[in-house]
C-alpha cells in the first residue's frame, strides 16, 4: 500500500506488487537452495572424499576397501581429516545450489510461458530441459571451485593449506586455464544428471499429487523422491564424472589426460568398463540421500508447487 498526499491509503499497483512477489520468490529460492546444499554436502563429505580418491587412482574399488580407506585416514590424520576439502565444497556449493534451484524455477516459468503451459504441468521434454539448463548454468559459474575441491580431496594438507593456496599454486605452476580442466565432461555430464534428477523429482511429485490429492508431499516423501532422482541422475552421468576427476587431478597424480574419449579409452584399457568408468559408484549411491535432503529442504510455497 502507499499513502497519497491527501492521507488516503491506496493499494500498490498490480505490477509493483507482482514485482515484489517475484523478487521475494527469487531471493527465497536462492537462500533455500544454498542452505540445502550446505547441510547435505557436509553430511556426506567423508563419502564424497572417498569417492574422489578412488576415482583418480588405479586401485580396485570395493565397499570394504572404501571403509578401510576411511578408517586409515581417521587413524593417520584424525577425525576431521575426513572433511578435508569440505571448505572448498562449501564455498562452491552455496552459489551452485542457490543458482541451480533458482535457475530451475525461472527456466520452468520461462518454458511454461513459451510453450503455453503457464500455471500447468510442463510436458516431460520441457521438464527435462529446465533441469538441464539449471544444472548447466550453475556448473558454468562455479567450476573453478569444483577443481579446487577435487585437488584438496586427493592431496595431503602439506601440499595445499587452504583454498587460496590451491588457486595460487595452480595459477603459477600450471596456468589459469587449468582451473577449467575437465570442464567439457562436466557440461556433458550435467545435462543428463541435472536433467534426469529434476525430471524424476518433478514427475514423482506430479504423480504423487494426482494420487494423493495433496499439492505438496510430506518431508519424508520428498526425501524419498530426491533420493530416487539423484540415483537415476548419478548413474546416467557417472562415467563422465570419473573422467572429470581424472582430468582435474592430473597435475598431482602424475598422469596426463587429453580428450574425453582418450581418457575413457585409457581408463577402460587399464581398469575395464565397470571397475574403471563406474569405480566408486557405491558411495554416490549411498550419498543419494543427499539429493533427497537438498530437495526436501526446498521451499514448499507457490514457487515450488507441482508443475
Amino acid at each position: 500500500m502507499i499513502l497519497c498526499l491527501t492521507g488516503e491509503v491506496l493499494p500498490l499497483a498490480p505490477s509493483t506488487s507482482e514485482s515484489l512477489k517475484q523478487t521475494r520468490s527469487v531471493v527465497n529460492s536462492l537462500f533455500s537452495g544454498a542452505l540445502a546444499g550446505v547441510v547435505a554436502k557436509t553430511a556426506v563429505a567423508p563419502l564424497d572424499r572417498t569417492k574422489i580418491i578412488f576415482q583418480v587412482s588405479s586401485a580396485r574399488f570395493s565397499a570394504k576397501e572404501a571403509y578401510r580407506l576411511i578408517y586409515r585416514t581417521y587413524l593417520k590424520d584424525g577425525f576431521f581429516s575426513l572433511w578435508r576439502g569440505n571448505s572448498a565444497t562449501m564455498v562452491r556449493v552455496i552459489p551452485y545450489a542457490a543458482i541451480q534451484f533458482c535457475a530451475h524455477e525461472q527456466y520452468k516459468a520461462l518454458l511454461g510461458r513459451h510453450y503455453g503451459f503457464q500455471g500447468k504441468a510442463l510436458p516431460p521434454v520441457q521438464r527435462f530441459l529446465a533441469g538441464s539448463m539449471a544444472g548447466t548454468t550453475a556448473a558454468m559459474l562455479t567450476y573453478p571451485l569444483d577443481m579446487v575441491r577435487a585437488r584438496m580431496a586427493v592431496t595431503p594438507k602439506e601440499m595445499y593449506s587452504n583454498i587460496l593456496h590451491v588457486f595460487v599454486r595452480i595459477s603459477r605452476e600450471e596456468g589459469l586455464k587449468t582451473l577449467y580442466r575437465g570442464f567439457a565432461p562436466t557440461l556433458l555430464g550435467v545435462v543428463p544428471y541435472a536433467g534426469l534428477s529434476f525430471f524424476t523429482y518433478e514427475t514423482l511429485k506430479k504423480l504423487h499429487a494426482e494420487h494423493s490429492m495433496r499439492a505438496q508431499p510430506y518431508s519424508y516423501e520428498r526425501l524419498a523422491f530426491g533420493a530416487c532422482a539423484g540415483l537415476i541422475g548419478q548413474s546416467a552421468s557417472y562415467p563422465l564424472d570419473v573422467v572429470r576427476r581424472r582430468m582435474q587431478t592430473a597435475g598431482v597424480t602424475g598422469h596426463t589426460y587429453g580428450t574425453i574419449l582418450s581418457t575413457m579409452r585409457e581408463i577402460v584399457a587399464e581398469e575395464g568398463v565397470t571397475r574403471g568408468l563406474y569405480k566408486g559408484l557405491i558411495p554416490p549411491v549411498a550419498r543419494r540421500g543427499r539429493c533427497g535432503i537438498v530437495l526436501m529442504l526446498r521451499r514448499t510455497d507457490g514457487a515450488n508447487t507441482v508443475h
Side-chain angles (χ1 to χ4, degrees):
M1 294 184 297
I2 56 176
L3 183 66
C4 66
L5 294 177
T6 61
E8 182 181 0
V9 177
L10 300 176
L12 283 173
S15 58
T16 304
S17 178
E18 184 65 27
S19 176
L20 290 174
K21 182 179 179 180
Q22 185 175 5
T23 301
R24 284 196 299 268
S25 176
V26 171
V27 171
N28 288 337
S29 186
L30 284 168
F31 178 77
S32 299
L35 177 62
V38 167
V39 173
K41 277 287 192 179
T42 301
V44 300
L47 288 175
D48 207 29
R49 187 186 180 205
T50 301
K51 179 206 71 170
I52 295 174
I53 291 173
F54 274 103
Q55 282 183 328
V56 303
S57 72
S58 58
R60 184 173 177 177
F61 172 82
S62 68
K64 187 176 182 179
E65 288 300 318
Y67 169 77
R68 286 178 176 174
L69 174 62
I70 293 174
Y71 187 62
R72 286 196 303 268
T73 303
Y74 163 71
L75 290 179
K76 180 182 178 182
D77 301 316
F79 178 73
F80 290 106
S81 66
L82 298 175
W83 274 264
R84 175 164 170 75
N86 195 53
S87 58
T89 301
M90 291 301 97
V91 173
R92 171 183 174 268
V93 78
I94 291 174
Y96 183 92
I99 292 169
Q100 181 174 236
F101 285 119
C102 181
H104 183 239
E105 297 302 327
Q106 301 308 310
Y107 285 135
K108 282 200 303 182
L110 180 64
L111 291 171
R113 289 193 299 269
H114 181 75
Y115 289 99
F117 292 97
Q118 189 170 9
K120 302 177 182 178
L122 287 176
V125 173
Q126 283 75 21
R127 208 176 301 155
F128 176 85
L129 185 59
S132 298
M133 293 168 66
T136 300
T137 301
M140 290 177 64
L141 296 175
T142 63
Y143 186 78
L145 292 168
D146 189 50
M147 160 69 80
V148 170
R149 169 208 180 199
R151 287 293 182 94
M152 293 186 73
V154 302
T155 57
K157 59 183 179 181
E158 292 79 15
M159 186 169 186
Y160 297 119
S161 57
N162 53 53
I163 299 172
L164 181 60
H165 189 205
V166 182
F167 275 111
V168 172
R169 284 199 61 174
I170 289 178
S171 301
R172 288 178 178 176
E173 299 174 8
E174 303 173 56
L176 285 174
K177 65 179 182 180
T178 303
L179 293 173
Y180 275 87
R181 181 183 294 163
F183 185 56
T186 297
L187 285 186
L188 291 177
V190 79
V191 171
Y193 174 69
L196 286 173
S197 294
F198 279 110
F199 170 81
T200 302
Y201 181 74
E202 294 290 336
T203 299
L204 290 173
K205 279 182 61 179
K206 180 176 181 294
L207 293 173
H208 175 272
E210 292 173 353
H211 286 82
S212 68
M213 304 304 293
R214 284 188 282 114
Q216 289 293 337
Y218 297 128
S219 296
Y220 68 88
E221 291 170 330
R222 292 201 302 274
L223 180 64
F225 296 165
C228 291
L231 174 60
I232 292 173
Q234 179 80 73
S235 299
S237 62
Y238 195 77
L240 287 166
D241 191 43
V242 173
V243 171
R244 171 180 58 146
R245 295 306 183 194
R246 294 288 180 102
M247 297 177 76
Q248 284 179 333
T249 59
V252 294
T253 59
H255 287 82
T256 301
Y257 297 106
T259 64
I260 298 173
L261 290 178
S262 66
T263 302
M264 280 189 170
R265 282 197 297 265
E266 184 174 339
I267 293 172
V268 171
E270 294 179 357
E271 305 169 52
V273 176
T274 304
R275 294 177 180 173
L277 295 178
Y278 285 90
K279 178 188 292 184
L281 184 58
I282 292 178
V285 168
R287 288 164 50 238
R288 286 312 94 202
R290 182 197 76 191
C291 188
I293 295 172
V294 170
L295 293 168
M296 181 181 69
L297 291 175
R298 293 180 68 190
R299 293 168 56 234
T300 55
D301 60 12
N304 283 316
T305 52
V306 177
H307 290 288

